[in-house]
Amino acid sequence: MTLTDQTVAEAGVEGPSEATAGPILGEARPLRVDVWRRFRRNKLAMVGLGFLVLLTLLAIFAPLVAPYGITERSSGAFRQGPSADHWFGTDGIGRDVFSRVIFGARVSLRIGILATLISLSIGLVLGAIAGFFGGIADTLIMRLTDVFLAIPYIVLAVAIATVFGRSENAVILILGLTGWLSIARIVRASFLSLRRMEYVEAARALGFSKLRIMARHILPNALQPIIIYGTIAVGSVILSEAALSFVGVGPQEPTPAWGLMVSQAKGSLTSAPHLLFFPGGAIFLTVLSFVFVGDGLRDALDPKLK
């Protein structure tokens, strides 16, 4: 049932009967089936999805997969290259890099997902209010967005870090509180275009509340750009966390954050390149996979490609 049919049904108006509806041309497939069929045709998107599934499984079962603990040291094996005992080598104090990269997937995925959920929640609420009500609310929210966009990102992140501290939870708050600007503009644009649609006007004429119109009639039709942006935003948050860790604002030792590992290895590029290559490669592949999945969802959710 479409939103227009739903609105008419809620008003108590009967639609055409089966006898007058004409011959049935074929049973309609659910939207999720069509989306999945179009998504799996994108080979890069499927590769990205496969890598993310593998990474998630490694993060969940990290204690079973990693041969060493994150703080366990091997005596006499300092900055040792990849070997049979240490697949990714060891760091400057003898810790296994492979184990720390595996456990680091937990840190990066947790930060990426939770910070994205915070930014999506804030951006969705503010963007919906600005786009639906307009007027003073729209002006205030958009000018607030412009103010935050005018502040350099790193400066803002360092300022917030001085208040919340330098930890994993602090990074989640920093990235969540600073990442809602783009999604607020996207949601606002969607609501501005959808609030003038016929089914919204019909819902208003039927006396539905503004909250009900926003939640049940406009939001479902605005989910496509939100889902796509949210998927890509997880990769962007992971990259931002690595940047914050690189400048010393992110998680601190002994947390096995990928960005922190890259920061610690920047002085050993010539003598121990594996310290930079493996955590850097994990960041690269993870962010690229989220981009591939986001591009695949964009194509799969595009009604013009149906």
Side-chain angles (χ1 to χ4, degrees):
M1 180 183 291
T2 63
L3 290 176
T4 305
D5 296 336
Q6 178 184 356
T7 305
V8 174
E10 290 174 348
V13 180
E14 296 183 357
S17 62
E18 295 183 0
T20 61
I24 300 177
L25 299 179
E27 184 179 356
R29 293 189 299 268
L31 177 60
R32 63 180 180 272
V33 176
D34 283 336
V35 170
W36 172 247
R37 289 183 62 184
R38 292 195 294 269
F39 179 84
R40 68 184 183 184
R41 293 191 191 126
N42 191 323
K43 295 181 180 179
L44 289 179
M46 291 301 296
V47 171
L49 180 62
F51 179 82
L52 292 179
V53 171
L54 175 62
L55 186 67
T56 303
L57 293 176
L58 290 176
I60 294 174
F61 300 104
L64 301 177
V65 177
Y68 302 92
I70 59 175
T71 59
E72 187 177 351
R73 303 180 183 182
S74 298
S75 59
F78 304 128
R79 294 185 182 177
Q80 186 182 58
S83 63
D85 294 329
H86 304 282
W87 293 354
F88 290 177
T90 58
D91 61 9
I93 57 177
R95 296 176 299 190
D96 184 65
V97 176
F98 175 75
S99 300
R100 290 180 62 79
V101 169
I102 295 298
F103 277 98
R106 283 185 168 186
V107 178
S108 294
L109 291 178
R110 180 172 180 266
I111 291 176
I113 293 174
L114 293 182
T116 301
L117 289 177
I118 294 175
S119 60
L120 283 178
S121 301
I122 298 174
L124 180 60
V125 172
L126 295 180
I129 294 174
F132 184 81
F133 292 99
I136 298 178
D138 184 20
T139 302
L140 290 177
I141 293 175
M142 288 300 101
R143 296 299 76 77
L144 177 64
T145 303
D146 293 338
V147 169
F148 276 97
L149 287 174
I151 302 175
Y153 170 74
I154 294 296
V155 175
L156 183 61
V158 171
I160 298 177
T162 57
V163 178
F164 293 104
R166 300 181 180 183
S167 64
E168 187 177 339
N169 293 331
V171 172
I172 293 174
L173 289 176
I174 292 172
L175 298 176
L177 295 176
T178 57
W180 58 270
L181 307 174
S182 298
I183 189 61
R185 289 180 173 273
I186 293 174
V187 174
R188 173 182 177 269
S190 298
F191 270 66
L192 281 174
S193 61
L194 293 174
R195 72 177 183 178
R196 298 183 178 89
M197 300 298 290
E198 291 82 358
Y199 59 85
V200 177
E201 296 296 335
R204 285 192 179 121
L206 293 172
F208 294 159
S209 65
K210 294 179 179 179
L211 181 60
R212 181 173 181 174
I213 294 174
M214 293 171 63
R216 297 191 59 181
H217 297 276
I218 299 181
L219 181 60
N221 291 281
L223 284 179
Q224 175 185 345
I226 297 174
I227 293 173
I228 296 171
Y229 177 85
T231 303
I232 300 177
V234 176
S236 300
V237 168
I238 292 175
L239 196 61
S240 299
E241 178 270 326
L244 293 178
S245 298
F246 190 81
V247 298
V249 182
Q252 303 298 305
E253 283 284 2
T255 304
W258 290 341
L260 180 60
M261 296 172 67
V262 171
S263 176
Q264 293 172 341
K266 63 180 181 291
S268 306
L269 182 58
T270 56
S271 60
H274 65 278
L275 297 179
L276 181 64
F277 176 79
F278 290 111
I283 296 173
F284 171 77
L285 292 176
T286 303
V287 175
L288 190 64
S289 297
F290 275 109
V291 172
F292 284 160
V293 172
D295 287 341
L297 286 175
R298 180 194 59 195
D299 296 338
L301 293 172
D302 190 349
K304 297 179 182 179
L305 300 178
K306 184 175 180 180

